[in-house]
């Protein structure tokens, strides 16, 4: 995914530097209770248990064709293969929770050993996930969490707070700390986007951002066409709009495509979370100056290891346990069963060609 790991290390940006809540190394388990995971029915783990072979692990993305999700789930199935299991990637063509519920029910019938899901709604998928857990199937959320008692572990890309606040800092710099901005989000119930947006709103309360006005949060539903149309609608409703934050790879690429051929190109600033490959041309043509992301492949890979370790009894999801995760080393399980991948990278004209995902 990354052409040079040295370059990547050098490119980890300071404004986005996130303290790794889940440091690598350490011992295997402490006596902390398994917070919030009452439905797991598994409070103990043996870190030295062998990895079970032939584990069936299914990845259920928000939507199957989203390029970000494709990379993420490829990382996941690669990890499962590495540990001697059988991984597969199934899911809906729209980012809807009810579609995901049907898939969960099918995966339960198939007696998968673990389900790794990026939830389209924290609550709507919870009963089906709890049903899976009650039947001994391990549940890992990745990228977008479900209700805490409906999964054992959540693999988060980075600190939600730092992701949200840093997006505001980037757009503020781009618009000179003054003017109207809008957010172009994914679906209205997406756990990850909603968590980030809460922190964006909080960041905007700071005195240095007093002259920035958030006029609207629009929803493109992680659908390319809808995101494109919502961008158009934002610009016509707010002709003096100065900037857009789109914390979704689908939204930011559709918004960039709209802006790139409109008179607002280079005038209305756009930042958010995007894949370098989808955004490269818009950085080169001057539509976008800077945006951010983590490596979705690594995110999925971590989730694959977590699912296999849960299904093998090496971890239970309790705070303080250590997950061994192949080429990524080790990660500690934090509060509420959360494991953090690591800090995001900011991409701009100077470094974007060093990344290929
Ligand atoms: C989209 C999805 C995903 C999010 C990324 C940044 O692909 O909404 O959940 O993490 O953007």
């Amino acid at each position: 995914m990354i052409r040079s790991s040295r370059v990547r290390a050098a490119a980890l940006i300071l404004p986005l530097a996130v303290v790794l809540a889940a440091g690598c190394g350490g011992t295997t388990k402490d006596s902390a209770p398994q917070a919030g995971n009452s439905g797991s029915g598994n409070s103990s783990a043996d870190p030295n248990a062998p990895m079970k072979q032939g584990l069936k692990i299914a990845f259920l993305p928000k939507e199957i064709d989203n390029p970000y999700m494709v990379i993420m789930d490829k990382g996941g199935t690669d990890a499962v293969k590495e540990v001697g299991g059988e991984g597969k990637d199934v899911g809906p063509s729209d980012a809807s929770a009810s579609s995901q519920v049907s898939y969960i029910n099918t995966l339960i019938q198939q007696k998968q050993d673990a389900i790794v899901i990026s939830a389209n709604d924290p609550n709507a998928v919870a009963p089906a996930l709890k049903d899976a857990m009650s039947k001994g199937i391990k549940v890992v959320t990745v990228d977008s969490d479900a209700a805490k008692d409906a999964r054992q572990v959540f693999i988060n890309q980075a600190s939600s707070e730092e992701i949200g606040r840093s997006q505001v800092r980037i757009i503020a710099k781009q618009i000179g700390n003054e003017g109207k901005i809008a957010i172009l989000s994914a679906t209205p119930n997406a756990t990850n986007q909603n968590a980030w947006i809460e922190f964006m709103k909080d960041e905007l309360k700071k005195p240095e951002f007093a002259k920035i006005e958030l006029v609207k949060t629009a929803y493109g539903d992680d659908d390319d066409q809808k995101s494109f149309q919502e961008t158009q609608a934002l610009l016509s409703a707010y002709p003096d709009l100065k900037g857009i934050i789109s914390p979704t790879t689908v939204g930011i690429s559709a918004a960039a495509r709209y802006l790139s051929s409109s008179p607002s190109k280079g005038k209305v600033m756009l930042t958010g979370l995007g894949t370098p490959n989808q955004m490269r041309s818009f950085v080169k043509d001057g539509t976008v100056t800077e945006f951010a992301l983590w490596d979705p492949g690594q995110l999925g890979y971590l989730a694959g290891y977590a699912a296999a370790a849960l299904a093998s009894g090496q971890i239970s999801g309790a705070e303080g346990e250590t997950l061994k995760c192949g080429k990524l080393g080790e990660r500690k399980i934090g509060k509420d069963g959360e494991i953090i991948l690591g800090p995001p990278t900011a991409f701009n004209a100077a470094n974007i060609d060093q990344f290929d995902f």
Side-chain angles (χ1 to χ4, degrees):
M1 291 296 162
I2 290 171
R3 288 172 186 158
S4 155
S5 55
R6 232 184 57 214
V7 166
R8 180 174 195 265
L12 292 178
I13 44 143
L14 284 176
L16 284 175
V18 178
V19 176
L20 274 181
C24 291
T27 53
T28 44
K29 187 169 183 288
D30 67 15
S31 55
Q34 188 178 351
N37 295 336
S38 54
S40 73
N42 182 2
S43 57
S44 65
D46 174 5
N48 298 316
M51 195 66 94
K52 283 190 186 158
Q53 293 300 289
L55 288 171
K56 291 194 289 177
I57 298 178
F59 293 81
L60 178 46
K62 279 183 170 178
E63 54 190 347
I64 198 86
D65 293 328
N66 175 342
Y68 170 100
M69 296 278 154
V70 170
I71 303 170
M72 188 175 83
D73 291 344
K74 166 83 168 58
T77 48
D78 284 351
V80 173
K81 199 169 166 195
E82 228 170 79
V83 299
E86 290 166 38
K88 69 171 177 180
D89 182 20
V90 294
S93 54
D94 61 330
S96 104
S98 57
S99 314
Q100 284 187 315
V101 169
S102 312
Y103 279 93
I104 297 166
N105 290 334
T106 304
L107 295 171
I108 294 172
Q109 280 162 15
Q110 292 172 349
K111 297 192 170 37
Q112 294 287 316
D113 293 295
I115 296 172
V116 181
I117 180 175
S118 178
N120 281 319
D121 181 309
N123 302 314
V125 294
L129 292 178
K130 284 187 196 171
D131 185 27
M133 288 163 76
S134 74
K135 295 182 166 110
I137 298 174
K138 304 301 176 191
V139 176
V140 172
T141 48
V142 60
D143 173 74
S144 183
D145 203 6
K148 291 181 178 51
D149 61 351
R151 48 71 171 165
Q152 272 102 2
V153 166
F154 168 43
I155 308 293
N156 199 355
Q157 28 274 59
S159 139
S160 300
E161 174 164 5
E162 193 52 32
I163 294 173
R165 294 192 190 281
S166 63
Q167 300 275 287
V168 168
R169 294 197 292 265
I170 294 174
I171 202 77
K173 198 169 126 201
Q174 293 180 350
I175 65 170
N177 274 356
E178 190 168 349
K180 292 182 178 162
I181 63 164
I183 295 171
L184 174 65
S185 190
T187 54
N189 294 337
T191 328
N192 52 345
Q193 273 87 15
N194 285 347
W196 301 331
I197 290 169
E198 278 311 300
F199 285 112
M200 288 181 204
K201 288 182 176 164
D202 194 62
E203 186 70 8
L204 283 169
K205 289 182 189 150
K206 290 189 175 163
E208 63 259 49
F209 304 131
K211 290 187 179 157
I212 299 178
E213 186 193 355
L214 174 62
V215 291
K216 180 164 176 150
T217 300
Y219 297 95
D221 293 345
D222 268 352
D223 175 87
D224 177 74
Q225 272 313 308
K226 178 143 195 288
S227 304
F228 187 88
Q229 284 155 9
E230 290 291 334
T231 307
Q232 188 173 26
L234 281 172
L235 291 174
S236 72
Y238 305 98
D240 52 349
L241 196 68
K242 287 282 182 311
I244 299 174
I245 301 175
S246 187
T248 138
T249 58
V250 180
I252 194 175
S253 55
R257 199 170 76 248
Y258 180 80
L259 286 175
S260 68
S261 59
S262 88
S264 302
K265 176 180 168 186
K267 295 188 185 118
V268 174
M269 298 294 121
L270 172 65
T271 192
L273 302 170
T275 67
N277 288 353
Q278 284 186 287
M279 296 301 289
R280 195 177 324 278
S281 63
F282 305 119
V283 168
K284 302 224 166 183
D285 76 3
T287 305
V288 171
T289 310
E290 186 169 271
F291 65 99
L293 200 70
W294 42 89
D295 183 336
Q298 290 187 353
L299 189 66
Y301 182 87
L302 194 48
Y305 263 88
L310 277 167
S312 298
Q314 294 174 352
I315 60 168
S316 68
E319 184 175 356
E321 289 177 343
T322 297
L323 170 70
K324 293 186 197 113
C325 38
K327 65 182 179 198
L328 291 179
E330 292 180 341
R331 292 289 188 285
K332 274 252 159 133
I333 302 184
K335 192 169 170 285
D336 294 332
E338 183 173 316
I339 299 178
I340 290 186
L341 173 66
T345 301
F347 307 100
N348 51 43
N351 71 357
I352 195 159
D353 279 341
Q354 293 152 10
F355 299 89
D356 184 16
F357 61 85

